[in-house]
Amino acid sequence: MTAQTGQIAKVQLGTEGPEVGVQGLGCMGMSFAYGPTDADEARATLEHALDLGVTLYDTADAYAAGENEQFLSPFFKAHRDEVVIATKFALAVHPDDPTKRIINNDPAYIRSCVDASLRRLGVDAIDLYYMHRRDPNVPIEETVGVMAELVAAGKVKHLGLSEVTGPELRAAHAVHPIAALQSEWSLFSRDIERGVVPAAAELGVGLVPYSPLGRGFLTGSFVSADKELGEDDFRRQQPRFTGDNAAANSALLEPVRTVADAHGVSLGQIALAWVKEQAQIYGLTVVPIPGTRKRTRVEENTAATRIELTPAELDLLAPIAAQVAGDRYADMTFTSAGRE
């Protein structure tokens, strides 16, 4: 569809999903993971994003133990007919060790999670409900079967999965249509291209890349998380942003800088433009959800939807991911790459 003046274009999120702006907004950092935040500026950012045509807003019950959903609730209720609410279940922070995660796909737990999220969000139905992480001990067909019950009950409109493999996506989709698959996808993280992306394209499932800016690293805003970021910043736990890995990975930004200079834009805008181009390359809907807490950043990010990269520029950027030092998580077992 053609965007209104000043707004980003709209797309359907896969063949089964809702219509959304071609770029969404990751809201986790507004109350979780990235250090201190300015609540007033974050609220203004939500409103400004909507003005720019952003309609998909992403949260989860795991973000600050439900506080992120509560924070977003007034905005969602004020704009209920204009926004697409995406939230998730299945993942929690270990109470004794914040670096560890607990994954639960138990049917009774799922049913309790959706009701709790609905209460915190203050809405009657969730537009897009994701399984945040897969518990290999529970058949995915069973998990999606319970999720399908939530659709039948009117509590959820569309289903999504996060960090599943290609075979897991196919098995899930056979139980109930999956509208969107969320996984990390960026110039630094391309493991899903092996099997997940082709499966999504085959099934008509939309791709929702999280961390398309490499958690800020691809913008050049920091080099070493352990030296530059606060003690409560989640990125200090991620191997590729600390120590020798960080220094090596910072050098990989030079091709991004070259392309950015040629266009007269920021590094982050090139990283987002690269993600956008994957829709044409793989033949599927791609709606990245860069996270930000600032109005200026959401303006910059949405402007990237209008940048077109040349084949030569894409070739220049292509080798980066294979050279990245360090995994995207200290524990990769709960990612799709950890099970492929």
Side-chain angles (χ1 to χ4, degrees):
M1 297 182 71
T2 302
Q4 297 179 34
T5 303
Q7 291 193 330
I8 60 174
K10 293 183 178 181
V11 292
Q12 185 177 1
L13 190 55
T15 57
E16 300 288 344
E19 184 180 70
V20 296
V22 75
Q23 185 181 108
L25 181 64
C27 301
M28 178 179 78
M30 292 183 175
S31 51
F32 179 68
Y34 295 125
T37 185
D38 180 334
D40 290 339
E41 177 62 19
R43 293 187 187 97
T45 298
L46 293 168
E47 297 283 353
H48 194 45
L50 187 60
D51 289 340
L52 294 169
V54 174
T55 58
L56 177 63
Y57 293 81
D58 185 89
T59 181
D61 63 0
Y63 301 160
E67 289 181 15
N68 195 244
E69 290 179 324
Q70 290 178 314
F71 176 80
L72 296 168
S73 176
F75 170 74
F76 288 157
K77 287 191 286 187
H79 301 284
R80 188 64 192 98
D81 294 336
E82 302 168 82
V83 299
V84 174
I85 302 170
T87 192
K88 316 176 193 74
F89 71 89
L91 186 64
V93 177
H94 195 287
D96 299 324
D97 185 349
T99 67
K100 294 183 179 179
R101 303 291 182 264
I102 299 170
I103 301 172
N104 191 341
N105 289 172
D106 180 75
Y109 179 73
I110 297 170
R111 296 185 184 102
S112 67
C113 283
V114 71
D115 288 339
S117 284
L118 285 168
R119 285 195 300 271
R120 287 189 293 264
L121 292 165
V123 297
D124 295 329
I126 295 164
D127 298 309
L128 178 58
Y129 200 42
Y130 287 102
M131 178 189 76
H132 205 162
R133 291 293 186 272
R134 163 117 162 83
D135 179 358
N137 297 313
V138 179
I140 197 164
E141 294 88 349
E142 181 179 341
T143 301
V144 176
V146 176
M147 295 171 72
E149 292 174 10
L150 305 180
V151 176
K155 296 181 179 182
V156 171
K157 296 179 182 179
H158 303 280
L159 301 186
L161 302 172
S162 181
E163 291 286 359
V164 297
T165 66
E168 289 167 349
L169 177 59
R170 289 188 176 90
H173 196 74
V175 175
H176 187 280
I178 302 300
L181 188 149
Q182 185 173 137
S183 195
E184 187 164 355
W185 198 11
S186 73
L187 282 168
F188 266 31
S189 300
R190 299 182 60 180
D191 50 77
I192 66 168
E193 293 173 25
R194 290 193 297 269
V196 178
V197 173
E202 171 193 323
L203 298 170
V205 176
L207 244 297
V208 179
Y210 71 82
S211 298
L213 295 171
R215 302 191 185 277
F217 195 86
L218 285 165
T219 69
S221 60
F222 73 98
V223 173
S224 179
D226 47 354
K227 295 178 181 178
E228 300 175 51
L229 304 180
E231 290 288 342
D232 57 349
D233 196 298
F234 171 69
R235 290 167 288 188
R236 292 170 63 96
Q237 303 170 19
Q238 297 184 300
R240 60 179 49 168
F241 303 142
T242 58
D244 292 340
N245 288 346
N249 292 335
S250 181
L252 299 178
L253 297 179
E254 285 309 309
V256 187
R257 191 168 283 110
T258 297
V259 177
D261 289 345
H263 285 264
V265 299
S266 70
L267 276 68
Q269 287 175 305
I270 294 303
L272 289 172
W274 180 89
V275 172
K276 173 181 70 73
E277 295 287 352
Q278 306 315 302
Q280 297 300 318
I281 292 170
Y282 287 98
L284 77 172
T285 307
V286 178
V287 180
I289 48 169
T292 185
R293 305 177 284 198
K294 297 180 180 179
R295 284 168 285 180
T296 54
R297 290 298 187 196
V298 83
E299 287 180 4
E300 179 181 325
N301 292 346
T302 54
T305 66
R306 293 180 276 274
I307 298 172
E308 301 292 336
L309 300 180
T310 68
E313 289 169 338
L314 291 170
D315 288 345
L316 183 64
L317 299 171
I320 293 174
Q323 302 174 63
V324 172
D327 286 330
R328 47 193 177 99
Y329 292 101
D331 179 4
M332 289 288 286
T333 60
F334 60 89
T335 68
S336 59
R339 295 192 302 278
E340 285 183 332

